[in-house]
Amino acid sequence: MQQVMQAIIVTGGKQYNVSEGDTLFIEKLDVNAGDSVVFDQVLAIVDGVVEGAKVDATVVKNGKGKKIRIFKYTPKKGYRKRQGHRQPYTKVEIGKISF
C-alpha cells in the first residue's frame, strides 16, 4: 500500500493539512481560474524534509461564500442595524507535494 504524501501549508493566515489530490477552499488569492499556484510556506511534511519544500496547486474557481446576516439592536432605544456579508474564497486543487 502506497502512502499518500501529506503537508501542512500556510496561506491567508491559516494552516491547512493537505495531501495530493485534495480540493480545499482558502482565503481569496489574486489569481484567475486555471492558473497554477505554488505554496512555499510549508510547516511540516509527513516522513520528509521541510527545507525547500513546496506544494503545487491549480485554481479551480474564485467565488463568494453563503451570505451571513449580522443584526444588532438595543432594546427600548430604537436602535436596529442589519448587515450582510459574503466572504470571498478561492477553490484550489492540490497537485504535487515536492521537497
Side-chain angles (χ1 to χ4, degrees):
M1 185 171 151
Q2 185 178 357
Q3 183 176 356
V4 177
M5 193 72 134
Q6 288 186 326
I8 299 174
I9 61 170
V10 177
T11 179
K14 298 179 177 72
Q15 299 175 4
Y16 298 95
N17 185 2
V18 299
S19 58
E20 294 177 355
D22 282 354
T23 301
L24 64 139
F25 296 89
I26 60 175
E27 295 294 319
K28 185 167 182 347
L29 301 175
D30 191 22
V31 291
N32 295 325
D35 292 348
S36 61
V37 179
V38 176
F39 300 108
D40 55 355
Q41 195 171 2
V42 179
L43 297 179
I45 291 182
V46 177
D47 297 333
V49 181
V50 177
E51 290 183 19
K54 63 181 180 177
V55 176
D56 297 322
T58 304
V59 176
V60 177
K61 73 173 192 172
N62 291 315
K64 289 184 178 180
K66 295 184 88 170
K67 181 174 273 194
I68 60 168
R69 302 276 183 182
I70 299 103
F71 186 73
K72 300 178 181 180
Y73 83 104
T74 306
K76 302 176 187 168
K77 302 296 180 191
Y79 171 75
R80 286 172 168 72
K81 182 178 180 183
R82 184 176 64 191
Q83 186 178 358
H85 177 74
R86 292 183 68 189
Q87 184 69 24
Y89 67 85
T90 299
K91 182 178 178 182
V92 296
E93 185 173 338
I94 304 300
K96 183 178 179 187
I97 298 173
S98 59
F99 53 92

